[in-house]
Amino acid sequence: TFSPERLFSPVNENKVTIEFSIPAKHDEALVRGFGAVFVDVDKKLQTKAVYNDYNDCVIAEEYVEKQRNGLSFLGVIFDSPIIARVEIHLGAAPIGGYKRGDFVVMDDFLYSEPQALPHYY
């Protein structure tokens, strides 16, 4: 992994939502792009990212592909800031849960600079 001491995963569930804000202001924000490095994706169609706009409409939904070295990357970028939140579904089972299954964790996040919401929101 890129940073083994800093892997990310929710505990007892395998879904996490990432929302964006303006640093130091905590105002809601939008980004042009968001990507993440995933560790140990073993099965198709289980780990995915769902990108939503400010009105909670799905603007992209992509599955993470398995890679030989155990590190996978998934990201999207748009021409203008439109992503308000990203919902990430990690594998078939949560870490810390009672079910056995495909556990996936995240390593690094990459995203564009958060931009303030336009006035029409």
Side-chain angles (χ1 to χ4, degrees):
T1 59
F2 293 111
S3 49
E5 67 281 349
R6 292 190 181 102
L7 297 176
F8 300 94
S9 179
V11 177
N12 295 324
E13 65 179 282
N14 61 335
K15 184 173 110 174
V16 64
T17 301
I18 299 162
E19 296 178 334
F20 303 97
S21 63
I22 302 296
K25 290 186 177 183
H26 305 291
D27 295 342
E28 294 176 313
L30 304 173
V31 296
R32 285 185 56 227
F34 176 86
V37 175
F38 296 85
V39 180
D40 203 26
V41 174
D42 291 330
K43 297 181 181 169
K44 289 184 176 189
L45 305 178
Q46 285 188 345
T47 299
K48 68 178 178 177
V50 181
Y51 299 81
N52 296 279
D53 67 8
Y54 185 74
N55 295 311
D56 215 23
C57 294
V58 174
I59 52 177
E61 182 174 346
E62 300 290 334
Y63 284 92
V64 181
E65 296 291 327
K66 176 183 179 176
Q67 299 297 320
R68 287 186 190 165
N69 64 0
L71 298 176
S72 302
F73 177 78
L74 175 68
V76 300
I77 191 163
F78 292 92
D79 291 335
S80 60
I82 190 172
I83 304 168
R85 67 190 57 74
V86 181
E87 215 175 78
I88 298 176
H89 302 257
L90 296 163
I95 290 178
Y98 296 105
K99 287 174 47 178
R100 297 180 69 141
D102 180 28
F103 303 109
V104 176
V105 297
M106 296 169 286
D107 194 339
D108 290 334
F109 294 156
L110 301 132
Y111 54 92
S112 62
E113 182 176 350
Q115 302 292 312
L117 293 176
H119 295 293
Y120 52 82
Y121 280 119

